[in-house]
Amino acid sequence: QVQLVESGGGLVQAGGSLRLSCAASRIAFSIGTMRWFRQAPGKQRELVAAITLGGSTNYQDSVKGRFTISRDNAKNTVYLQMNSLKPEDTADYYCHADAHTLTSGWQSYWGQGTQVTVSS
């Protein structure tokens, strides 16, 4: 089983910044696309950003120009740099990855979630 461990959440004032990290266990043979989702209270989980193995990125319109997703393949880690944070960014943020192991093949994996709270 591939494990994704998240960190970097916290409480910040509007206009501030946070950097989320998500590291995959080294047992994975290969890690493909990595993504960040978020879920606000009373709302469904939504895709925030995605990055392929080759570095191609995609963002939700509401975070374009403010958030940046990146990855360090040597460390099996994906990052989400969040700038100019707004109260509507408040949510639990979840890392997701497509990963391959010798025994299970390609599977989807989720991090445990990290809370981001933006005060007005």
Side-chain angles (χ1 to χ4, degrees):
Q1 185 81 21
V2 175
Q3 294 181 335
L4 304 178
V5 180
E6 303 179 30
S7 62
L11 174 64
V12 65
Q13 286 187 296
S17 298
L18 287 172
R19 187 185 189 227
L20 306 183
S21 299
C22 174
S25 64
R26 297 175 180 176
I27 195 173
F29 182 80
S30 181
I31 300 177
T33 299
M34 304 186 79
R35 306 170 179 86
W36 286 99
F37 288 79
R38 68 185 180 187
Q39 186 168 20
K43 299 185 181 297
Q44 294 188 343
R45 191 169 298 183
E46 62 180 1
L47 177 66
V48 178
I51 184 168
T52 67
L53 181 62
S56 297
T57 59
N58 186 54
Y59 297 93
Q60 182 188 111
D61 287 342
S62 66
V63 307
K64 288 181 178 178
R66 300 189 298 120
F67 291 10
T68 302
I69 188 171
S70 61
R71 65 189 292 166
D72 185 337
N73 292 333
K75 297 180 178 180
N76 291 327
T77 300
V78 63
Y79 306 93
L80 186 67
Q81 179 67 47
M82 304 185 294
N83 299 325
S84 301
L85 283 163
K86 304 175 180 179
E88 50 263 44
D89 295 318
T90 295
D92 289 327
Y93 284 71
Y94 296 88
C95 176
H96 177 274
D98 300 323
H100 181 272
T101 65
L102 292 177
T103 57
S104 300
W106 286 100
Q107 300 287 335
S108 295
Y109 299 90
W110 290 93
Q112 81 282 4
T114 184
Q115 185 177 358
V116 172
T117 302
V118 184
S119 62
S120 59

